Amino acid sequence: MDKPHYQNTGSRNRIQFSFYLIGLMMLAFFFFLLAVPTTVLILGGRIGGWMLIVAVPASVVTVWLMTGRRLDKTFVISGLCFFILLIVTIAFYSGIYSGDYDGNTYHKMAIGLLKNGWNPIRESSSTFAEGFFPIDVHVGSIFIDHYTKGPWIYGAVVYAFTNNVESGKVYNLWALLCLFCLAFDFLQQKMGHVKAFIVSLLLCMSPVSMVQLLTYYEDGLLASFLFILVIALTQCVDKNNLHHGSQAKMSVFFAMAVLGNIKFTGLLYGGIFCIGYFILLVITEFRTQPDRIAARYNSLRNFGFFAAVAAGTVLWVGFPAYVTNVIDHKNPVFPLAGEGKVDIMTGHLPGGLEGKSIFYKLFYTIFGELSNMSGEAQELLPKLKVPFTTSREELWRCVRTPGCVDWRISGFGVFFSGLLLISIGIIIWKLIKLNKRDDLFFYAATNLILIFGLLLGISESWWARYSPYLYLLVIGALIIALHDFRLPFMKGFCGLFIALLFVNNFLFLGEGYYTLRHSPIIAHDLQDVEGRSIIVRFPNESYTGLLFNLEDRDVKYVIGEQPMSDHDVLTFYGLLQWKYNDDMQ
């Protein structure tokens, strides 16, 4: 095991190490909260709240083994902070009621079915739902049965622990806390603690993560774990890093196992970054190792490690999706590709961009005015604007568009286009300055190739939720600027860059504010019907996951015929309408 780096160091390194320990415990917790339930499902069991209780000590013990087996004050305090964060955040999310479409339709439905005993390896969601619900419920079975189930398993375990379906979406905040702790520890090794704190905070505040923070959407979770994976991979290639070696490799294994089971795209993004960094490790070995036999041996060991990561991600924790899809459809990523493919993207792309090149799409969706226009919009093309400019209407739209958590146009923010142009300029300037034989040059070049390769190679990368890696260019440029810009004028430039990026990202919290403000009202509405008998209907036939909110309140319900009276109660952001059923009283 690697020797803990805080031994014989000052208090600042002990504080830094505490952040690392907390972040590593949370990363291990994510892994065990996926691995334990998946193993039980493979063995024919069902998900239960006890799995959360098992995952906590398993995470603490694993980190204790990874970091030197020392049970001192630093470790104990870090463990207590980790435990308190879990309890407080679960309690907080238990009272948060979001009105997003996907979250209240198939995400919440999948989580509710898993919590109530559905085993996706043994039967379809439709078959289980028929025996669970007293009514006919559309569950979006093709997606629930075949998509990756990592976030749903997290949500189901927490739901089983709390008996509150809303508590499960706490995983989005957990991921941000984990990312912040690991990034803060990593960056403090490269820059001052104030700079490290600011950059780590901005890394966590990616626009996709901010707008989805209080929902069951998974794109923000995917972005957080992609960034965690990049940090862990960097620790693998950086021999001067304090966690280089087995700690870094275990972090890569944990991060990739989780990332690859958030969404199919997580496996794609993470797999490509792992391949890129493996090639970088091989190049570095043959550049720096004079013994060619040793270089080949080390490269084979690294190949074996990444092969083990892939096997663990797909064949073990990914069994309920990848393996079952191969068994049932001879295709690990069904229904997104191959025979029987389901097109989920048609209609989302603005009409004027249909059939255009990826350059054309990216130009309009990055430099366009913030909107959520789709193929149904009357306008054919997004409205372009000058970088760094905005309007009151655009700002208000960003802050106060209820339920919009997946912006199609300018999804990275109102100022992002200008910040991106400056970032590209800073990165090009840095590459020109770097010695072309320097390790940092190879590292920067590898990441640029990976980011632009994904950006230009994936047709859906015009949509911010499908291209979280683009945000890394801005963070990377900021790190370069803070490290290299020494003149007073340039320090002022860094301050302005940081301020604009904070504002750009902070605006997306308007959706969260709207949710927080309305959650007590919804809680009160649900309390009114607790234990009662009601007739319900859904103004939109989706959102059937809301039935689990009624299940949690022990509500006896039947689905009424439409239309119902205008005097009936309309609640949950107008998604659920109900009236008391006197015949059932």
Side-chain angles (χ1 to χ4, degrees):
M1 285 293 173
D2 297 332
K3 182 179 178 181
H5 75 263
Y6 70 95
Q7 294 176 345
N8 301 319
T9 60
S11 60
R12 177 179 170 185
N13 276 350
R14 286 196 295 272
I15 294 173
Q16 176 185 342
F17 191 62
S18 294
F19 276 94
Y20 176 68
L21 287 173
I22 295 170
L24 196 57
M25 287 177 189
M26 298 201 76
L27 179 57
F29 177 73
F30 266 103
F31 172 75
F32 285 112
L33 203 60
L34 177 59
V36 173
T38 300
T39 303
V40 171
L41 292 173
I42 292 172
L43 296 175
R46 56 177 290 174
I47 284 176
W50 62 269
M51 295 171 178
L52 188 146
I53 299 174
V54 169
V56 171
S59 306
V60 174
V61 171
T62 299
V63 173
W64 175 70
L65 292 173
M66 288 174 60
T67 56
R69 306 183 184 184
R70 285 195 52 167
L71 195 64
D72 60 3
K73 182 179 179 181
T74 302
F75 189 91
V76 171
I77 292 175
S78 300
L80 286 174
C81 290
F82 162 67
F83 180 74
I84 291 170
L85 282 172
L86 295 183
I87 299 300
V88 171
T89 52
I90 289 174
F92 171 73
Y93 270 81
S94 295
I96 303 300
Y97 299 88
S98 59
D100 53 282
Y101 177 84
D102 286 9
N104 287 294
T105 305
Y106 71 93
H107 289 317
K108 192 179 283 186
M109 180 60 70
I111 289 164
L113 295 178
L114 284 168
K115 178 260 186 183
N116 284 284
W118 174 48
N119 187 324
I121 299 174
R122 304 289 171 141
E123 63 180 327
S124 71
S125 57
S126 295
T127 302
F128 180 83
E130 288 173 2
F132 178 77
F133 286 111
I135 55 173
D136 180 27
V137 177
H138 173 68
V139 296
S141 59
I142 192 169
F143 304 118
I144 295 175
D145 288 340
H146 301 291
Y147 277 6
T148 51
K149 296 172 176 62
W152 298 341
I153 289 174
Y154 297 141
V157 173
V158 178
Y159 183 14
F161 182 77
T162 64
N163 202 36
N164 183 324
V165 69
E166 300 299 331
S167 63
K169 54 181 177 282
V170 67
Y171 56 66
N172 279 312
L173 182 57
W174 283 348
L176 292 187
L177 293 171
C178 177
L179 172 59
F180 176 82
C181 290
L182 294 177
F184 186 54
D185 165 75
F186 172 73
L187 290 171
Q188 277 200 90
Q189 302 173 42
K190 309 296 181 182
M191 59 179 63
H193 61 279
V194 174
K195 293 178 180 178
F197 179 86
I198 292 172
V199 176
S200 300
L201 190 60
L202 285 170
L203 182 62
C204 294
M205 288 181 64
S206 69
V208 175
S209 296
M210 290 298 94
V211 77
Q212 297 184 0
L213 185 58
L214 301 181
T215 75
Y216 264 127
Y217 272 70
E218 302 167 350
D219 306 291
L221 178 68
L222 187 148
S224 296
F225 266 91
L226 178 61
F227 301 161
I228 290 170
L229 177 66
V230 171
I231 292 172
L233 288 169
T234 301
Q235 291 171 337
C236 283
V237 301
D238 182 7
K239 294 182 179 180
N240 296 320
N241 187 271
L242 296 170
H243 310 299
H244 177 76
S246 60
Q247 290 182 28
K249 287 187 175 181
M250 283 298 295
S251 296
V252 169
F253 178 76
F254 290 156
M256 186 61 213
V258 174
L259 177 62
N261 286 285
I262 295 173
K263 301 180 74 171
F264 288 137
T265 47
L267 182 67
L268 174 64
Y269 303 159
I272 288 177
F273 268 90
C274 283
I275 292 171
Y277 273 77
F278 166 69
I279 294 172
L280 178 60
L281 282 168
V282 172
I283 293 173
T284 302
E285 279 292 334
F286 281 91
R287 285 181 57 249
T288 61
Q289 176 61 262
D291 187 342
R292 287 289 183 257
I293 295 178
R296 283 194 292 270
Y297 174 74
N298 290 335
S299 297
L300 285 173
R301 285 183 59 190
N302 287 325
F303 176 80
F305 164 71
F306 282 107
V309 170
T313 301
V314 175
L315 302 180
W316 178 17
V317 293
F319 193 101
Y322 297 110
V323 177
T324 55
N325 281 344
V326 169
I327 294 172
D328 295 338
H329 296 279
K330 307 299 186 292
N331 178 4
V333 295
F334 179 84
L336 294 191
E339 186 178 352
K341 174 183 176 181
V342 176
D343 182 8
I344 63 172
M345 294 302 297
T346 298
H348 289 294
L349 186 69
L353 299 180
E354 189 173 349
K356 301 297 184 181
S357 69
I358 188 61
F359 289 100
Y360 195 89
K361 295 175 185 176
L362 285 171
F363 178 77
Y364 270 93
T365 54
I366 291 176
F367 293 93
E369 185 177 292
L370 181 94
S371 74
N372 213 32
M373 66 181 298
S374 62
E376 299 177 355
Q378 293 182 353
E379 302 87 355
L380 289 177
L381 287 173
K383 180 181 178 181
L384 293 175
K385 66 171 189 174
V386 177
F388 291 117
T389 63
T390 186
S391 65
R392 181 181 299 178
E393 292 76 13
E394 185 183 32
L395 293 173
W396 188 249
R397 192 183 309 133
C398 181
V399 175
R400 290 299 306 275
T401 303
C404 190
V405 294
D406 54 355
W407 293 98
R408 293 173 177 85
I409 311 302
S410 198
F412 282 107
V414 297
F415 298 125
F416 182 78
S417 59
L419 293 169
L420 180 64
L421 289 176
I422 292 176
S423 298
I424 292 174
I426 292 173
I427 292 171
I428 292 174
W429 169 81
K430 181 66 176 179
L431 285 174
I432 293 173
K433 281 189 61 180
L434 281 174
N435 185 332
K436 304 306 180 288
R437 297 183 178 181
D438 191 278
D439 288 342
L440 185 58
F441 175 82
F442 284 93
Y443 173 79
T446 297
N447 280 285
L448 286 176
I449 291 171
L450 292 174
I451 291 172
F452 282 105
L454 285 168
L455 194 65
L456 301 178
I458 297 176
S459 60
E460 289 79 22
S461 59
W462 58 268
W463 200 346
R465 64 185 293 195
Y466 292 118
S467 55
Y469 37 82
L470 183 60
Y471 187 67
L472 290 175
L473 290 179
V474 176
I475 296 298
L478 177 59
I479 293 173
I480 293 171
L482 289 172
H483 185 269
D484 288 11
F485 293 177
R486 302 295 183 184
L487 296 176
F489 167 76
M490 298 309 291
K491 290 181 179 179
F493 164 82
C494 289
L496 181 60
F497 190 103
I498 290 169
L500 281 173
L501 190 53
F502 263 118
V503 172
N504 179 81
N505 298 357
F506 189 79
L507 288 171
F508 285 105
L509 287 176
E511 171 63 24
Y513 170 75
Y514 179 84
T515 300
L516 289 173
R517 197 180 72 177
H518 285 78
S519 288
I521 301 172
I522 296 169
H524 181 268
D525 291 340
L526 292 174
Q527 187 176 1
D528 282 346
V529 296
E530 189 166 1
R532 305 290 294 271
S533 298
I534 64 173
I535 301 174
V536 299
R537 78 172 179 90
F538 302 95
N540 185 321
E541 291 185 358
S542 300
Y543 298 99
T544 47
L546 294 177
L547 291 175
F548 287 105
N549 292 96
L550 301 180
E551 296 275 346
D552 296 345
R553 299 282 180 163
D554 195 28
V555 177
K556 298 178 179 64
Y557 57 85
V558 294
I559 303 297
E561 297 182 1
Q562 301 184 37
M564 293 174 72
S565 170
D566 292 337
H567 299 291
D568 297 333
V569 177
L570 194 64
T571 187
F572 223 109
Y573 303 99
L575 305 176
L576 182 67
Q577 192 171 22
W578 61 269
K579 68 178 180 180
Y580 292 114
N581 187 351
D582 296 331
D583 295 336
M584 298 175 63
Q585 297 274 340

